[in-house]
Amino acid sequence: MSDLILNSSTIGVVVSLSAYGVGVLVKNKMKKAIFNPLLVSIVLVIILLLVLNIDYAKFNHSAQYLSYFLTPATVALAIPLYKQIALLKEHLREILCGVLAGVISSLCSVFVMSLLFGLNHEYYVTLLPKSITTAIGMGVAQELGGISNVAVAVIVITGVQGNIIAETICKIAKIKHPISRGLAIGTASHAVGTAKALEIGEIEGAMNLFRVQFLSYLCYTTHLLLLGAITGGISYILNTFRSFCLGSKIEFARSKKMCMIICTLQIATLIITWSGWISLLPVAANIASTIGGYTYNARKIRIAGMFVNSPLWIIYDIIVGSWAGILDEVFSEGSMIISIVRYGWKNLDKVNE
Amino acid sequence: MRYLKQFAVILGVTCVGEILKYFIPLPIPASVYGLVLMLILLMTHMVKLEMVKDASGFLVEIMPVMFIPAGAGLIAYWVQLRPVVVPMLVITLLTTVIVMVVTGKTTDFLIGRKERKK
């Protein structure tokens, strides 16, 4: 029997297709979101494999032809995306901001809860792409060193959950506009939730679809690219950006809003590159100096620099063994002391930098 | 022939995506390179919607089925998964709610503000 399955190029496919057929049937009969066809068919196949005592590897060998179409199918997602491009363009800014907020809240909540539950890195990165369309999420989890099969399960579960709770949440949270509803469901629970969005209304469904995934994916990518890199390194890039802003002529770049944006980015960096409590050091240091810098007050800049920024960086540099970094910070401590001696502590308030 | 041509276009773009992935090895799956490329081609009208419409509709429609083998692969990973199954369920549920509310409220607020301005 095992040999039969191993050598057949159709049994696995046929079994999967029939299971899905049953799933759709059940869904139509019961009309309950929990009977998601994909969920039902996965459960059915698992039961079948367990009951008949068939090795998963053998089944997969026979069903792999299905997976072959995954990459072209993902590429084909560009078409529904393209069909909605007009709506997307019209509300581009609102949509981008909404999705960005959703992605950041997703990353933060996954991160905080993984920490609370004490999950290791492997599970953490498996959970990260939970709100992305399955095809993409699976690939992302794999690229990051997560477990792709578990990622599929997590993504499917997220979708089903979203499908079940979407309507209630929109009501309780008083999310009114069709576009926001669609975005909310799409960002939180991707394509599987789409069915629900379509039930609620036309625009919601249209909004929900894959372009939302696409956007959120773009944001994810930027974040995930950073993953695995040293927190300090990226934090430093942000510092460069901050200096650029502080020195720029554009009013917005010099405003308190920009300060908040940079601090948020720093925190995001911390979360993404988290490699233990040590990551807190450079980020805390840079946030302190960012806030200090945006006061445009020479004394406050010195205080932030001398008592928070430099000491934290020095500790960080010692731990990671960066002699150049230690030297650099010792020099900046020195230069700050010199400037205090030269101008006098009180007079610093008047120095215009 | 219609389906064959359309499918060939999609596969061609997919293939270019894979080649791109080889030369620009970011931690992004090759399929996403293809997706972005296809979108660009459509937006620049180098690929017409009619050239891919039917085949892509078919592919997107049968997509869920393609995840069944991977999903069933859970049994192979059950040993790894069992100790974390409860935290994972809790985390997914809570984050789904949080993300939904945050995204919805943010967009609602922004769109509302824009419409009031008008």
Side-chain angles (χ1 to χ4, degrees):
Chain A
M1 173 104 160
S2 280
D3 284 343
L4 175 68
I5 293 167
L6 190 61
N7 291 325
S8 164
S9 55
T10 47
I11 290 183
V13 178
V14 171
V15 167
S16 304
L17 279 175
S18 335
Y20 193 74
V22 175
V24 173
L25 227 92
V26 172
K27 162 87 188 168
N28 288 343
K29 267 250 148 67
M30 311 299 268
K31 297 203 191 314
K32 283 260 168 10
I34 185 90
F35 294 107
N36 172 274
L38 184 53
L39 191 72
V40 170
S41 45
I42 288 175
V43 172
L44 278 179
V45 170
I46 288 180
I47 292 174
L48 195 75
L49 293 183
L50 287 178
V51 169
L52 298 179
N53 197 19
I54 297 164
D55 190 25
Y56 169 71
K58 282 176 182 150
F59 166 78
N60 195 32
H61 189 265
S62 170
Q64 62 181 325
Y65 302 96
L66 275 177
S67 312
Y68 170 79
F69 288 102
L70 211 51
T71 317
T74 312
V75 175
L77 286 180
I79 284 89
L81 195 67
Y82 174 70
K83 284 182 184 164
Q84 299 299 334
I85 207 105
L87 204 57
L88 174 69
K89 273 183 183 160
E90 193 189 338
H91 295 286
L92 186 65
R93 263 183 54 187
E94 291 75 18
I95 291 170
L96 273 178
C97 290
V99 172
L100 190 69
V103 169
I104 291 176
S105 65
S106 168
L107 288 172
C108 290
S109 50
V110 168
F111 169 73
V112 169
M113 283 186 248
S114 298
L115 214 63
L116 285 179
F117 281 104
L119 298 183
N120 64 22
H121 185 77
E122 195 181 24
Y123 289 111
Y124 169 53
V125 293
T126 305
L127 279 172
L128 264 188
K130 69 184 258 306
S131 295
I132 313 179
T133 293
T134 323
I136 300 173
M138 200 167 112
V140 172
Q142 229 162 5
E143 291 282 349
L144 293 174
I147 313 157
S148 62
N149 298 60
V150 178
V152 172
V154 170
I155 293 166
V156 172
I157 290 168
T158 303
V160 175
Q161 285 171 342
N163 193 323
I164 299 169
I165 60 175
E167 211 165 354
T168 325
I169 296 289
C170 283
K171 248 181 225 155
I172 295 175
K174 296 202 179 72
I175 301 168
K176 294 183 200 104
H177 202 284
I179 292 180
S180 347
R181 288 188 174 194
L183 269 187
I185 304 171
T187 312
S189 58
H190 58 88
V192 188
T194 311
K196 191 72 208 171
L198 278 170
E199 278 171 37
I200 303 180
E202 274 282 310
I203 306 179
E204 283 94 330
M207 283 308 297
N208 189 338
L209 267 168
F210 305 100
R211 73 202 143 87
V212 175
Q213 290 313 313
F214 172 58
L215 285 176
S216 66
Y217 185 74
L218 279 187
C219 302
Y220 261 109
T221 313
T222 343
H223 286 273
L224 299 179
L225 278 179
L226 309 175
L227 212 140
I230 304 157
T231 319
I234 297 163
S235 206
Y236 233 88
I237 296 174
L238 284 171
N239 275 358
T240 319
F241 175 64
R242 180 189 67 215
S243 314
F244 173 76
C245 284
L246 280 170
S248 98
K249 286 207 176 74
I250 308 159
E251 207 166 306
F252 179 70
R254 295 170 58 94
S255 70
K256 287 274 183 305
K257 272 186 196 155
M258 200 62 207
C259 173
M260 284 177 41
I261 292 174
I262 293 173
C263 290
T264 316
L265 286 173
Q266 293 278 10
I267 293 168
T269 310
L270 170 70
I271 289 165
I272 292 147
T273 60
W274 184 262
S275 52
W277 298 105
I278 176 185
S279 307
L280 271 176
L281 294 171
V283 171
N286 286 340
I287 288 178
S289 63
T290 305
I291 296 172
Y294 272 92
T295 60
Y296 298 104
N297 175 310
R299 191 158 66 145
K300 285 178 185 152
I301 294 175
R302 296 293 182 288
I303 293 174
M306 270 181 73
F307 298 109
V308 188
N309 186 286
S310 290
L312 288 177
W313 269 108
I314 291 176
I315 299 170
Y316 181 78
D317 288 333
I318 291 172
I319 296 174
V320 300
S322 158
W323 289 104
I326 298 170
L327 215 62
D328 176 41
E329 290 305 328
V330 169
F331 268 111
S332 18
E333 280 279 353
S335 77
M336 281 184 274
I337 293 171
I338 290 171
S339 76
I340 291 169
V341 172
R342 193 173 143 203
Y343 292 109
W345 185 243
K346 293 239 168 83
N347 295 332
L348 267 179
D349 264 340
K350 291 167 201 143
V351 177
N352 210 350
E353 288 191 272
Chain B
M1 271 311 277
R2 192 180 53 168
Y3 276 98
L4 190 66
K5 264 189 202 156
Q6 297 197 356
F7 197 64
V9 172
I10 294 172
L11 271 191
V13 174
T14 311
C15 181
V16 176
E18 278 169 353
I19 294 169
L20 278 176
K21 162 80 184 173
Y22 178 80
F23 285 110
I24 318 168
L26 301 175
I28 307 169
S31 52
V32 176
Y33 284 81
L35 194 158
V36 174
L37 184 65
M38 180 65 99
L39 195 67
I40 294 172
L41 289 175
L42 283 167
M43 286 173 77
T44 52
H45 300 287
M46 281 154 85
V47 168
K48 297 259 175 348
L49 195 58
E50 290 71 37
M51 284 163 70
V52 285
K53 207 171 68 187
D54 307 287
S56 71
F58 171 73
L59 280 173
V60 172
E61 195 186 310
I62 62 160
M63 210 166 170
V65 184
M66 302 172 197
F67 301 115
I68 297 174
L74 267 185
I75 49 169
Y77 289 86
W78 182 241
V79 188
Q80 270 171 285
L81 190 64
R82 201 172 50 191
V84 290
V85 89
V86 174
M88 281 225 170
L89 281 176
V90 175
I91 292 175
T92 47
L93 183 64
L94 289 178
T95 37
T96 306
V97 174
I98 294 172
V99 174
M100 221 176 250
V101 173
V102 169
T103 315
K105 278 315 226 187
T106 312
T107 324
D108 230 18
F109 170 74
L110 290 172
I111 291 181
R113 205 178 57 171
K114 189 164 113 179
E115 280 173 358
R116 267 199 301 281
K117 264 185 196 165
K118 279 176 190 168

